[in-house]
Amino acid sequence: MSSGDMTIYRSCTPVVDSRYETDGSQTPSEAIIEAVATAADVEPIELPPLYEFIDPDALDTLFQQHEGASDSEAVLSFRIDNWNVFVRADGRLRVCDGTKPIEPKPVFENSTT
C-alpha cells in the first residue's frame, strides 16, 4: 500500500463479496440488491425498497462516473436493516452482518472479488 492510500475499516462480519459490472450491463444498485438478498437468503423482491435506505439513482450516477477505475478510491457505505453495505468505484461490493461484530479490519483488505 502506498502512503497516499485510503483505508476504511469495518467492524462487522463479511457475508457476501460481489461485484457490479462496470461495463453498464448491471448498475451498482442492482448488484447491491442481489448481494443483500444473497446475504439475507431471500429473493430480492422480499427486501424493502432500496430507496428507503439510499437514493439508487444517485448511487448509480456516482459510481458510473468512475467507470470502474481501479485507481479510484471512491467508497460508499450505508446500512440496509442489519446489513452493512460497502461499495467501491472499481466494482467491488461487500455486505457484512452488522449483528456480528469483530475487531476492526480494512473493508476490502487484499480482496480481489
Side-chain angles (χ1 to χ4, degrees):
M1 184 183 304
S2 66
S3 62
D5 288 345
M6 175 176 64
T7 302
I8 297 174
Y9 289 85
R10 62 176 165 77
S11 58
C12 52
T13 303
V15 177
V16 173
D17 286 323
S18 186
R19 294 189 72 81
Y20 63 88
E21 299 302 323
T22 59
D23 63 5
S25 64
Q26 181 184 45
T27 65
S29 60
E30 291 168 340
I32 288 166
I33 291 166
E34 288 179 17
V36 173
T38 298
D41 196 25
V42 299
E43 292 297 317
I45 194 75
E46 296 177 60
L47 294 174
L50 188 59
Y51 65 78
E52 290 184 9
F53 305 95
I54 193 164
D55 181 334
D57 293 330
L59 183 145
D60 292 339
T61 299
L62 173 68
F63 287 103
Q64 287 169 348
Q65 289 175 356
H66 293 287
E67 297 177 343
S70 61
D71 62 342
S72 175
E73 292 187 357
V75 177
L76 177 70
S77 66
F78 60 97
R79 191 170 175 107
I80 297 176
D81 291 335
N82 294 326
W83 306 105
N84 296 329
V85 180
F86 302 91
V87 187
R88 274 182 50 142
D90 65 1
R92 289 191 277 179
L93 301 171
R94 176 164 273 174
V95 179
C96 296
D97 186 340
T99 66
K100 295 181 180 176
I102 60 171
E103 289 294 317
K105 294 182 180 180
V107 172
F108 291 107
E109 61 185 322
N110 301 323
S111 175
T112 58
T113 62

